[in-house]
């Protein structure tokens, strides 16, 4: 199989190209991994949008001006000069959109880590790789592990605020919002989703929201008590309207993603609580300290399996090869993904 990478223009994510990849000889401590499958979601587009600010471009180096957007999925060691990582070792973790890649793989506290110098100062959450024997939920895990882990951590973070009775979620059709709605409902909280008219109709049948409003209906937004606004869209103008509608009932405003990445909002003034960024690695570090790393994974895995069992609406869409990846990439970038669909890429 000819090796290749998907490279994007870091200043214009629309410009993406498949290019042949080099396969340099391995140095001591290095392994070559073949990418088996990965998911592609709006979350990955967010990595590209904020790649410079948060270091996402640093994980998988690319030529100047270009980038390799990280994804989550499975890969297998096909060549090894690392004592701890034999050929055949199958891992789940942070990957490039490529057919293969090289890491300096070594055992960590709970799995494997990449010891490459360029990753030394990057968040350890993204540098952890877990051994992954084949499982019937592999496609679901590739799709939901990064998204639902963010949902799980958000729910845990907001769960510490006992006064909250309600959550308002923008981009309510995104998988991370749907996951947070599922966890929050289990806590007995009111969950209101904001979405486009087309998506509002689709997600109404999922049974996750107490109420769904379109963005044009935000002025009528009311909650039954103290509320948090969780913004998955990144549209500042929409955030301002939500703040104005909720007034004193809004006690917290959390920024998570940027699915409406072109809307921006410029210098629109926002009344009420200052929107603050939720950075999942911070919460996972806290809970790894509080609970221990094994307990974080145990609790999350139970949540993932319960979510999948409950998500009869979820549909996995398979894509293969260079054209399949290119088609899926532009579909996700342009926001043409149906809420019920999860896109899985097999490079080979």
């Amino acid at each position: 199989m000819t090796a290749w990478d998907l490279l994007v223009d870091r200043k214009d994510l629309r410009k993406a190209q498949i290019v042949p990849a080099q396969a340099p000889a391995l140095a001591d401590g290095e392994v070559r991994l073949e990418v088996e499958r990965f998911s592609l979601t709006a979350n990955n587009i967010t990595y590209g949008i904020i790649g410079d600010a948060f270091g996402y471009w640093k994980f998988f180096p690319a030529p100047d001006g270009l980038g390799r957007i990280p994804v989550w999925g499975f890969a297998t060691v096909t060549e090894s000069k690392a004592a701890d990582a034999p050929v055949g070792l199958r891992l789940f973790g942070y990957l490039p959109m490529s057919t293969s890649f090289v890491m300096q793989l070594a055992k960590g506290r709970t799995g494997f880590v990449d010891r490459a110098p360029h990753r030394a100062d990057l968040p350890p959450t993204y540098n952890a790789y877990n051994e992954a024997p084949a499982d019937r939920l592999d496609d679901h895990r590739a799709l939901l592990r990064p998204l639902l882990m963010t949902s799980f951590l958000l729910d845990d973070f907001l769960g510490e605020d006992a006064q909250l009775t309600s959550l308002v979620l923008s981009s309510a059709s995104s998988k991370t919002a749907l996951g947070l709605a599922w966890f929050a409902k289990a806590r007995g909280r009111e969950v209101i989703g904001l979405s486009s008219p087309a998506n509002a109709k689709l997600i109404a049948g999922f049974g996750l929201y107490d109420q769904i409003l379109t963005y044009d209906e935000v002025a009528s937004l009311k909650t039954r008590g103290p509320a948090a606004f969780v913004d998955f869209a990144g549209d500042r103008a929409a955030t301002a309207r939500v703040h104005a509608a909720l007034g004193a009932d809004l006690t917290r405003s959390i920024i998570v993603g940027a699915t409406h990445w072109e809307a921006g909002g410029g210098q629109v003034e926002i009344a009420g609580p200052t929107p603050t960024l939720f950075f999942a690695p911070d919460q996972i570090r806290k809970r790894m300290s509080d609970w221990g790393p094994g307990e974080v994974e145990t609790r999350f895995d139970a949540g993932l399996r319960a979510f999948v069992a409950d998500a009869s609406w979820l549909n996995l869409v398979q894509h293969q090869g260079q054209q399949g990846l290119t088609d899926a990439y532009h579909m996700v970038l342009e926001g043409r993904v149906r809420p019920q669909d999860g896109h899985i890429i097999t490079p080979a």
Side-chain angles (χ1 to χ4, degrees), residues 125 153 156-157 160 279-293 296:
T125 299
L153 294 169
D156 177 61
F157 173 72
E160 296 178 318
F279 191 49
D282 289 343
Q283 186 69 9
I284 201 169
R285 275 192 290 265
K286 176 183 177 183
R287 286 316 190 197
M288 287 175 70
S289 175
D290 294 342
W291 302 339
V296 172

Side-chain angles (χ1 to χ4, degrees), residues 3-339:
W4 50 262
D5 298 315
L6 178 72
L7 300 182
V8 301
D9 186 324
R10 289 166 57 164
K11 301 301 182 185
D12 185 352
L13 300 185
R14 297 179 189 83
K15 297 177 181 178
Q17 57 183 320
I18 299 285
V19 300
Q22 301 298 315
L26 298 180
D28 288 343
E30 290 185 334
V31 299
R32 196 181 322 279
L33 298 100
E34 180 178 307
V35 176
E36 175 190 311
R37 74 184 81 179
F38 56 84
S39 65
L40 189 59
T41 71
N43 189 49
N44 304 112
I45 302 305
T46 299
Y47 292 153
I49 295 167
I50 62 176
D52 287 316
F54 286 84
Y56 290 117
W57 296 123
K58 297 179 181 179
F59 283 92
F60 304 106
D64 287 347
L66 300 176
R68 300 163 81 188
I69 292 178
V71 290
W72 292 87
F74 296 88
T76 300
V77 175
T78 56
E79 185 181 354
S80 177
K81 286 193 175 182
D84 295 333
V87 170
L89 176 67
R90 185 174 188 260
L91 299 172
F92 177 84
Y94 220 38
L95 317 175
M97 288 192 276
S98 308
T99 54
S100 63
F101 66 110
V102 172
M103 291 197 296
Q104 291 185 17
L105 205 58
K107 280 192 174 178
R109 284 193 303 160
T110 59
F112 292 84
V113 296
D114 186 352
R115 301 291 191 195
H118 72 273
R119 294 180 73 159
D121 296 327
L122 297 173
T125 299
Y126 299 113
N127 208 27
Y129 293 82
N130 296 319
E131 191 167 356
D135 184 275
R136 65 181 182 84
L137 292 183
D138 277 349
D139 282 342
H140 288 91
R141 193 171 300 278
L143 174 67
L144 296 172
R145 171 60 169 76
L147 305 177
L148 202 65
M149 177 59 87
T150 300
S151 307
F152 171 79
L153 294 169
L154 269 166
D155 174 69
D156 177 61
F157 173 72
L158 293 169
E160 296 178 318
D161 189 340
Q163 292 184 332
L164 284 179
T165 64
S166 307
L167 300 184
V168 178
L169 314 184
S170 68
S171 197
S173 62
S174 69
K175 301 298 187 299
T176 313
L178 292 168
L180 176 57
W182 185 83
F183 282 113
K185 289 281 285 184
R187 287 184 184 270
R189 283 179 166 163
E190 176 189 38
V191 188
I192 300 172
L194 307 179
S195 189
S196 67
N199 283 340
K201 293 179 181 179
L202 286 170
I203 63 177
F206 296 177
L208 296 173
Y209 292 100
D210 294 287
Q211 185 181 6
I212 300 170
L213 300 176
T214 67
Y215 292 103
D216 291 339
E217 297 171 327
V218 165
S220 66
L221 176 62
K222 300 293 180 186
T223 60
R224 66 188 185 201
F229 174 51
V230 185
D231 181 22
F232 295 97
D235 184 336
R236 188 176 175 88
T239 297
R241 293 196 297 272
V242 170
H243 278 230
L246 291 179
D249 285 337
L250 183 67
T251 61
R252 307 182 71 166
S253 184
I254 310 295
I255 304 167
V256 182
T259 56
H260 297 175
W261 61 282
E262 290 185 300
Q267 300 302 312
V268 175
E269 292 188 10
I270 298 176
T274 300
T276 58
L277 181 69
F278 176 79
F279 191 49
D282 289 343
Q283 186 69 9
I284 201 169
R285 275 192 290 265
K286 176 183 177 183
R287 286 316 190 197
M288 287 175 70
S289 175
D290 294 342
W291 302 339
E295 184 63 17
V296 172
E297 287 297 332
T298 296
R299 294 189 190 195
F300 170 74
D301 190 68
L304 183 146
R305 292 179 182 277
F307 179 85
V308 170
D310 207 31
S312 58
W313 49 267
L314 184 59
N315 175 49
L316 296 176
V317 182
Q318 304 289 338
H319 304 267
Q320 187 168 14
Q322 298 181 19
Q323 191 61 53
L325 171 56
T326 300
D327 291 345
Y329 174 79
H330 287 289
M331 185 186 304
V332 174
L333 179 71
E334 295 161 11
R336 293 186 283 111
V337 175
R338 300 189 308 168

